[in-house]
Amino acid sequence: MNLARPAQAPILDRLGRPLHDLRLSVIDACNFRCGYCMPADRIPDDHGLDAAGRLSFDQIETLVRAFAAAGVHKLRLTGGEPLLRKRLPDLVARLARIPGIDDLALTTNGSLLAAQARALREAGLRRLTVSLDALDPAVFSAMSGGRGEVGPVLEGIAAAGAAGFGPLKINCVVQRGLNEEQVLPLLGHFRGTGHVVRFIEYMDVGTCNGWRQEQVVTSAELRDRIAARWPLRPLQSHYCGEVAERYAFADGGGEVGFVSSVSTPFCGHCHRARVSADGQLYTCLFADQGHDLKPALAQGEAALFGHLAGLWSRREDRYSEIRGNPSAPRKHIEMYLIGG
Ligand code: SAM
Ligand code: SF4
Ligand code: SF4
């Protein structure tokens, strides 16, 4: 069955937010152990799903068709580390053909990108975000839990350019005392290239990272530090609900973005669903539990569409606005299971 894009009104949640974006994890494994996400002392190498526990490509295609019918236009593939999923370009090619999905993107740690950028591009991937927390080799290695090297990530970024991807987003999570001194070098490296570095406030996701407020470097603080070196001017957002606040370098050196979910929550415009590699729907990055989509998925696209519409219309998450309140969920899904 192929449900056409809905001509009807969008499906709204209890706070009036439409379902617009889907972040889909294709794998829960990762070759890094970033301390803010999957600290090595908490997540063993053999954790998680075997291949049989992951949705198959057939299941993923049906799932995305149902989400597209429910109003999703933007699809971002993530992980874990998505480039560890075997035959990923084959999946991308199938998803790129789904009517209604106008934007197909992927977030990666970049370590395996050099070898895969061209195949992903040819398969129809439109946009890439590469996570990069430091240029300094020692700081980079420490941020990846001793598993990664910065050289292959920079090679991956270059390969993406050569394969025809336009400017990339480069995501950097800033943690006080760990990589805050990398902020200006990262900007110095990417200014003038067209790539847009985005600084992300360190979030209290999951249960493993031992998050403390003092470790957060707020966007306001970073912006002041950056502006003292390169004056900035604010830019209009591209669309309502854009997650990053955008600034331009006044000297024409390009753009920088800030994702401020701790200091400036944006739940009021949150129109994003997340699905883990084993088919659980999470309606918030900080949800304490998911909704298993597999039974409805087994009945086909139309049944899943109905199920999704019901789940989304009951959604009332707004964790970042109520962080610290007694009613806020205490237990959160791990970030590496839903991919950001
Ligand atoms: N492995 C891929 C990567 O690192 O790009 C994709 C999955 S990763 C979970 C997606 C994004 O989540 C990355 O940009 C990462 O930096 C971000 N992230 C993970 N834990 C975070 C945290 N505690 N606070 C803020 N961002 C976080
Ligand atoms: Fe892996 Fe990405 Fe999490 Fe780092 S942020 S541990 S690269 S999933
Ligand atoms: Fe969306 Fe939840 Fe983040 Fe709020 S806390 S912006 S509802 S994911």
Side-chain angles (χ1 to χ4, degrees):
M1 174 169 188
N2 186 11
L3 294 169
R5 293 276 307 131
Q8 74 265 30
I11 301 164
L12 301 180
D13 71 9
R14 285 201 173 138
L15 302 178
R17 300 167 297 187
L19 170 58
H20 188 272
D21 294 11
L22 173 62
R23 216 163 253 241
L24 175 67
S25 171
V26 295
I27 193 163
D28 64 335
C30 188
N31 53 344
F32 283 13
R33 284 293 182 274
C34 308
Y36 51 68
C37 175
M38 271 184 113
D41 58 344
R42 300 291 304 275
I43 315 289
D45 284 356
D46 61 354
H47 82 97
L49 302 171
D50 55 20
R54 294 176 197 136
L55 297 184
S56 66
F57 286 3
D58 285 345
Q59 286 174 306
I60 291 176
E61 183 178 341
T62 304
L63 181 136
V64 172
R65 285 184 185 279
F67 269 98
V72 163
H73 298 271
K74 283 179 70 173
L75 172 62
R76 178 171 293 276
L77 303 180
T78 178
E81 175 42 45
L83 300 192
L84 290 173
R85 178 83 191 233
K86 291 203 174 67
R87 299 185 292 104
L88 185 66
D90 294 351
L91 177 64
V92 167
R94 291 172 69 161
L95 301 180
R97 288 195 289 266
I98 294 179
I101 300 296
D102 334 305
D103 188 9
L104 179 53
L106 177 137
T107 302
T108 171
N109 66 27
S111 59
L112 306 169
L113 184 58
Q116 297 191 43
R118 189 162 296 279
L120 289 168
R121 182 72 191 166
E122 285 170 0
L125 189 68
R126 300 259 184 104
R127 296 190 301 118
L128 265 175
T129 298
V130 176
S131 302
L132 177 58
D133 294 331
L135 278 182
D136 178 87
V139 180
F140 183 94
S141 169
M143 294 298 289
S144 71
R147 306 284 175 102
E149 290 179 43
V150 68
V153 179
L154 296 176
E155 284 163 27
I157 292 169
F165 284 100
L168 309 187
K169 286 182 191 153
I170 310 286
N171 275 359
C172 172
V173 177
V174 183
Q175 279 183 283
R176 183 154 331 266
L178 293 183
N179 65 335
E180 55 187 314
E181 300 309 324
Q182 293 296 300
V183 166
L184 294 183
L186 275 166
L187 287 175
H189 184 85
F190 288 106
R191 263 170 45 89
T193 64
H195 300 315
V196 177
V197 180
R198 305 186 324 158
F199 296 105
I200 301 176
E201 288 179 350
Y202 172 37
M203 291 185 286
D204 49 337
V205 290
T207 57
C208 303
N209 60 16
W211 182 91
R212 283 178 291 117
Q213 178 81 48
E214 313 83 84
Q215 298 168 311
V216 179
V217 184
T218 63
S219 296
E221 178 181 337
L222 278 184
R223 219 162 30 229
D224 288 348
R225 280 199 222 171
I226 295 165
R229 173 76 179 79
W230 294 292
L232 298 173
R233 67 181 164 78
L235 291 172
Q236 289 286 337
S237 47
H238 284 120
Y239 52 89
C240 172
E242 186 169 35
V243 165
E245 295 156 71
R246 302 163 55 228
Y247 284 78
F249 293 109
D251 66 1
E255 256 185 55
V256 55
F258 299 92
V259 181
S260 321
S261 37
V262 177
S263 65
T264 319
F266 37 77
C267 301
H269 296 291
C270 181
H271 40 228
R272 184 172 292 168
R274 297 170 164 89
V275 174
S276 60
D278 61 347
Q280 305 285 319
L281 169 71
Y282 293 89
T283 53
C284 176
L285 190 51
F286 299 90
D288 55 356
Q289 59 184 17
H291 305 273
D292 190 0
L293 299 180
K294 288 194 296 299
L297 181 58
Q299 295 170 45
E301 189 185 324
L304 182 57
F305 168 83
H307 188 52
L308 289 175
L311 289 172
W312 190 262
S313 60
R314 291 193 291 279
R315 174 186 192 240
E316 51 189 6
D317 308 88
R318 54 187 197 96
Y319 174 81
S320 289
E321 292 181 349
I322 57 170
R323 177 180 275 116
N325 287 4
S327 61
R330 296 257 167 271
K331 192 172 147 267
H332 309 149
I333 177 68
E334 300 301 333
M335 183 71 137
Y336 66 88
L337 295 176
I338 50 170

